[in-house]
C-alpha cells in the first residue's frame, strides 16, 4: 500500500548512520510497505577535498549523532569528482539479484570503517564479491555496463528533481497517491509516523471501495 524509496550515496556518512533505522523500519512494516533504494550521487562540491577535511566532518557528525566509533577517512582520494565506482557496484549487484542490503553495507564499511579506496572499480567489486554469491568478474562486467551507469544517472536526476540536496533522502508514496519527501533526516519517529498515516488512509480507501462495490 505504501512504497518508500531511500536515496543514498554509498560513501555518505549520514546514510551509514541511518542504516540501523532503515533495518528497523523494514522489519516493522515488512508486510505492508515496499522498501527500495536508489543512488543519488554526491556532486563534486559536496565531496571532501582531503582526508583531513573529512576527519573534521566525522568528528562533528559523530558527536552530533552519538556514534561510538569515529569513521575512517582514508578512502578519500583528492581530486576525485564523484565516487561512481561503489555506487555502480552496489546497483550492479542489485541487478544481478542481490535484493538485500549486504553489498551496500559491505561497501560502506570498506570505505568508512576500513578506509579502502572504493573509488577504484576493482576494489569495490572485490568487496562486493566477498559479501554476495557473485564473482568479482561478474560484478565488474555488470558494473561497467552502460545500462547500470544510466540507471545511476537517472536516479540521481530524479533525486535532484525533488528539489532536495541532502542524503539520506526519502520519497514516500501510497496507492492513493499521498506523497511525502524527507531530506537529511536520520531519525525513525517522523518516518514511522508518516508511513503509519499513509497506511491508515490507504486502508480507509480500501474499506470504502469494498462497501461501494
Amino acid at each position: 500500500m505504501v512504497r518508500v524509496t531511500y536515496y543514498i550515496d554509498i560513501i555518505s556518512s549520514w546514510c551509514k548512520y541511518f542504516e540501523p533505522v532503515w533495518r528497523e523500519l523494514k522489519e516493522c512494516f515488512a508486510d505492508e510497505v515496499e522498501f527500495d533504494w536508489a543512488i543519488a550521487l554526491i556532486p563534486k562540491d559536496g565531496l571532501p577535498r582531503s582526508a583531513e577535511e573529512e576527519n573534521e566532518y566525522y568528528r562533528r557528525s559523530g558527536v552530533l549523532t552519538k556514534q561510538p566509533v569515529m569513521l575512517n577517512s582514508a578512502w578519500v582520494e583528492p581530486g576525485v569528482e564523484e565516487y561512481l565506482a561503489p555506487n555502480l557496484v552496489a546497483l550492479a549487484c542489485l541487478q544481478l539479484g542481490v535484493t538485500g542490503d549486504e553489498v551496500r553495507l559491505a561497501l560502506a564499511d570498506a570505505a568508512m570503517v576500513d578506509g579502502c579506496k572504493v573509488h577504484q572499480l576493482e576494489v569495490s567489486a572485490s568487496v562486493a564479491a566477498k559479501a554476495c554469491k557473485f564473482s568479482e568478474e561478474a560484478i565488474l562486467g555488470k558494473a561497467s555496463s552502460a545500462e547500470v551507469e544510466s540507471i545511476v544517472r537517472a536516479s540521481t536526476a530524479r533525486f535532484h528533481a525533488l528539489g532536495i540536496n541532502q542524503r539520506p533522502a526519502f520519497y514516500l508514496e501510497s496507492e492513493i497517491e499521498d506523497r511525502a519527501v524527507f531530506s537529511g533526516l536520520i531519525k525513525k519517529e517522523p518516518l514511522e509516523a508518516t508511513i503509519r498515516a499513509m497506511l491508515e488512509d490507504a486502508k480507509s480507501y480500501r474499506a470504502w471501495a469494498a462497501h461501494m462495490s
Side-chain angles (χ1 to χ4, degrees):
M1 288 185 282
V2 173
R3 180 176 182 177
V4 180
T5 302
Y6 166 29
Y7 284 99
I8 67 168
D9 188 308
I10 295 298
I11 52 85
S12 165
S13 57
W14 287 94
C15 291
K16 180 169 174 53
Y17 297 152
F18 175 76
E19 290 296 343
V21 175
W22 181 244
R23 183 174 61 251
E24 289 176 20
L25 289 171
K26 290 174 70 175
E27 291 172 354
C28 183
F29 297 104
D31 298 326
E32 298 176 295
V33 177
E34 180 181 350
F35 290 93
D36 195 10
W37 57 268
I39 300 298
L41 291 169
I42 297 174
K44 179 182 178 181
D45 60 5
L47 294 173
R49 290 168 293 184
S50 67
E52 292 74 20
E53 181 182 77
E54 191 73 340
N55 272 337
E56 289 301 315
Y57 181 76
Y58 285 164
R59 289 189 184 95
R60 182 183 65 186
S61 63
V63 170
L64 290 173
T65 58
K66 300 180 175 65
Q67 300 299 314
V69 177
M70 182 170 158
L71 298 180
N72 185 344
S73 66
W75 60 271
V76 174
E77 186 68 18
V80 171
E81 297 190 355
E82 62 181 4
Y83 284 80
L84 184 59
N87 291 290
L88 290 176
V89 166
L91 184 60
C93 290
L94 178 63
Q95 294 286 304
L96 288 168
V98 183
T99 56
D101 296 327
E102 59 267 33
V103 170
R104 283 196 307 100
L105 297 176
L107 287 165
D109 282 348
M112 291 178 279
V113 176
D114 301 327
C116 296
K117 297 292 189 178
V118 293
H119 70 284
Q120 299 172 11
L121 195 59
E122 293 77 9
V123 171
S124 284
S126 176
V127 170
K130 293 181 177 70
C132 70
K133 65 180 181 180
F134 294 99
S135 69
E136 185 175 340
E137 292 74 18
I139 294 168
L140 272 173
K142 191 70 172 176
S144 301
S145 69
E147 173 200 9
V148 167
E149 182 168 351
S150 71
I151 294 171
V152 168
R153 300 295 181 191
S155 62
T156 300
R158 287 195 301 274
F159 166 82
H160 289 297
L162 294 171
I164 56 179
N165 63 3
Q166 298 297 319
R167 301 152 188 81
F170 311 93
Y171 180 75
L172 293 73
E173 183 173 22
S174 77
E175 65 182 34
I176 60 171
E177 298 186 346
D178 289 343
R179 297 181 179 91
V181 177
F182 293 92
S183 177
L185 185 75
I186 63 169
K187 293 186 180 298
K188 177 183 177 183
E189 292 78 10
L191 286 164
E192 182 178 4
T194 303
I195 292 170
R196 290 193 187 281
M198 285 185 161
L199 286 170
E200 285 303 311
D201 285 349
K203 289 173 183 177
S204 295
Y205 271 79
R206 283 191 178 187
W208 179 85
H211 285 79
M212 297 300 292
S213 60

